[in-house]
Amino acid sequence: RWDPVPGAIGYRLYRSNRADMDPAPHTHLTRLPASVNAEIDRLAAEAIEPSVFFESWMLGPALEGIVDQEPAIVLVRSDRGDLAGLFPFVLKKRFCGLPLRILSLMNHRHGLLFTPLVSRRFAGAVVTALLDWIESGQAPSQTLEMPNVASDGPFMQHFQQALEARRHWSVHSDVRERAFLRPHDAAEPGLSHKHRKELRRLERRLAERGSLGYRV
């Protein structure tokens, strides 16, 4: 069972770069119905950049865990109605201690990277549609925050190109390097004997609850 949230947030994307595109409402959700899950899975398979933490199997539980923020999931569709872009936002009421409403990509404690899912066929047009929707005044905020997005990935390249064509946007970037682990022959590098022993104990406890297996 899923419960729609009153109010609509969405944007219809047309293949032509029309300047008079009208926002097409799509209910933003706190829980995703099976039909939307299937669409998200298809989009993830053809996304210009993988984003496992926004795939349906993780996005649904993450949305259920939101308790102090308002979700605003933007679904961008092609003229045929196919899902071409997924932007799971939350609407923050404060930013840096100021009473400023801001659209921020949803981050959660079980994720590490939160690049939006964007179809490789419509990548440039999807980003354009998102910015057009924000500028149209239909969005709940004209301030956009995208934390924990790969700065050198194809999505950000399209996003930066779209911003360069819009001189009136003020952009602040905070780029940080992340640690990258290159494991050697050992199956569990960097873990102490005590830590490995504890993980094996937890593994046994988990296996008591049902069949346990690994898939890579």
Side-chain angles (χ1 to χ4, degrees):
R1 181 176 179 274
W2 61 282
D3 302 314
V5 177
I9 290 181
Y11 205 95
R12 181 165 293 280
L13 164 70
Y14 293 86
R15 286 180 182 159
S16 60
N17 291 325
R18 291 170 45 188
D20 58 345
M21 293 187 293
D22 296 324
H26 192 294
T27 306
H28 66 267
L29 312 169
T30 56
R31 299 179 184 177
L32 297 175
S35 59
V36 178
N37 284 341
E39 289 187 279
I40 293 174
D41 292 340
R42 287 193 292 269
L43 176 60
E46 68 165 28
I48 191 173
E49 191 170 344
S51 189
V52 64
F53 300 109
F54 281 158
E55 292 184 13
S56 63
W57 65 274
M58 179 164 279
L59 178 59
L63 286 171
E64 293 181 4
I66 295 178
V67 294
D68 57 349
Q69 295 174 330
E70 178 185 345
I73 304 176
V74 179
L75 304 179
V76 183
R77 298 184 176 276
S78 70
D79 56 349
R80 295 183 179 180
D82 297 329
L83 185 61
L86 171 69
F87 297 86
F89 291 120
V90 292
L91 184 59
K92 295 182 178 180
K93 297 182 179 180
R94 299 188 67 85
F95 181 69
C96 294
L98 300 175
L100 175 67
R101 290 166 64 87
I102 181 172
L103 272 176
S104 178
L105 274 178
M106 184 179 69
N107 281 218
H108 54 81
R109 62 183 300 180
H110 300 295
L112 301 174
L113 190 66
F114 297 94
T115 302
L117 286 175
V118 175
S119 169
R120 66 169 60 94
R121 293 179 297 157
F122 306 110
V126 167
V127 173
T128 297
L130 175 71
L131 297 178
D132 285 347
W133 170 68
I134 294 174
E135 293 178 356
S136 71
Q138 300 285 338
S141 171
Q142 292 192 322
T143 303
L144 184 64
E145 179 187 40
M146 295 194 298
N148 295 317
V149 173
S151 62
D152 57 352
F155 165 76
M156 188 53 67
Q157 293 176 5
H158 282 281
F159 193 80
Q160 290 173 343
Q161 290 173 2
L163 286 178
E164 289 174 359
R166 300 166 190 257
R167 302 295 183 183
H168 54 281
W169 276 73
S170 177
V171 181
H172 172 72
S173 299
D174 180 15
V175 180
R176 292 169 292 171
E177 292 186 357
R178 297 187 303 159
F180 184 78
L181 175 64
R182 295 186 181 274
H184 299 288
D185 295 335
E188 299 171 329
L191 301 180
S192 66
H193 173 73
K194 181 179 180 181
H195 195 173
R196 291 195 299 269
K197 184 178 179 181
E198 174 64 10
L199 288 176
R200 287 193 291 269
R201 185 188 70 82
L202 293 174
E203 182 183 46
R204 290 193 298 271
R205 291 292 302 276
L206 182 61
E208 294 173 359
R209 301 189 172 209
S211 177
L212 175 64
Y214 295 91
R215 183 179 65 180
V216 179

